[in-house]
Amino acid sequence: MPDFNDSGPITVVDGDCALCTVAARLIARFDRALEFRICPLQTELGSALLGHYGLEISDPESWLYIVDGSAYTSLDGMIRAGARVGGAGWLLQPLRLMPASMQDWIYQKIARNRYRLFGRKDMCAVPDPALCARLIE
C-alpha cells in the first residue's frame, strides 16, 4: 500500500465516469470542513485501496468510502458520505429507509450502465481548483 494521508474521509471513485465526476465535484463544493479527499480508482493508490478492501478495479461496483478506519461500498457508502459532507448529500438520506438488498440492486443497475447512461468524463481534464485540491493519487 502506498503511503498516503488517511486522517480524513476518502472516496475512491471512477475517474472516467461522468456521474462519479459530478459526485466528486459535489463533495468538493459542499464539504465545508475541507476534510474529504478524492482518489480516482485508476491511480496506484486507488487500485491499492480497492484491493485492500477486496474490490476489483474492473468491477463497476467499486465506489468506496473510507472513514475512521471503516470502509463502505456502493450506495451505502454514498449515503454515508452524503451525510458527512452535507449540502446536497442530504438528498441521499431517504435511501437509508430501503433494505440493503434493494440499495445494492439499484446501485448495481446504475453502476453497470453508468457509461451508457451518463458517458465518460476525465475527472482531471477540466480544471476545478476545489476538486484538484482534494485529489490524492
Side-chain angles (χ1 to χ4, degrees):
M1 178 75 66
D3 285 336
F4 68 101
N5 178 355
D6 64 351
S7 62
I10 299 171
T11 56
V12 181
V13 300
D14 183 348
D16 294 331
C17 170
L19 184 60
C20 293
T21 297
V22 168
R25 290 180 193 280
L26 287 172
I27 289 170
R29 180 175 177 200
F30 290 107
D31 176 25
R32 301 287 185 226
L34 303 175
E35 63 180 350
F36 271 80
R37 285 177 324 261
I38 300 159
C39 182
L41 62 84
Q42 289 83 0
T43 64
E44 179 184 352
L45 177 59
S47 296
L49 286 169
L50 289 178
H52 180 76
Y53 289 104
L55 299 171
E56 296 288 328
I57 191 169
S58 60
D59 185 349
E61 300 169 34
S62 52
W63 203 91
L64 180 63
Y65 171 57
I66 306 165
V67 63
D68 300 327
S70 297
Y72 305 94
T73 60
S74 66
L75 197 51
D76 179 49
M78 292 177 157
I79 293 167
R80 289 172 185 269
R84 178 120 181 201
V85 79
W90 284 104
L91 296 174
L92 296 173
Q93 299 317 296
L95 298 174
R96 284 183 186 263
L97 301 173
M98 284 196 255
S101 60
M102 185 177 286
Q103 288 179 19
D104 290 343
W105 183 84
I106 289 170
Y107 181 83
Q108 289 170 2
K109 292 299 179 196
I110 293 170
R112 291 174 195 238
N113 295 292
R114 68 188 184 279
Y115 295 139
R116 186 173 52 78
L117 295 171
F118 304 102
R120 291 180 181 264
K121 186 171 189 173
D122 183 354
M123 185 178 296
C124 300
V126 179
D128 176 342
L131 178 60
C132 291
R134 294 165 188 278
L135 288 176
I136 56 174
E137 299 179 5

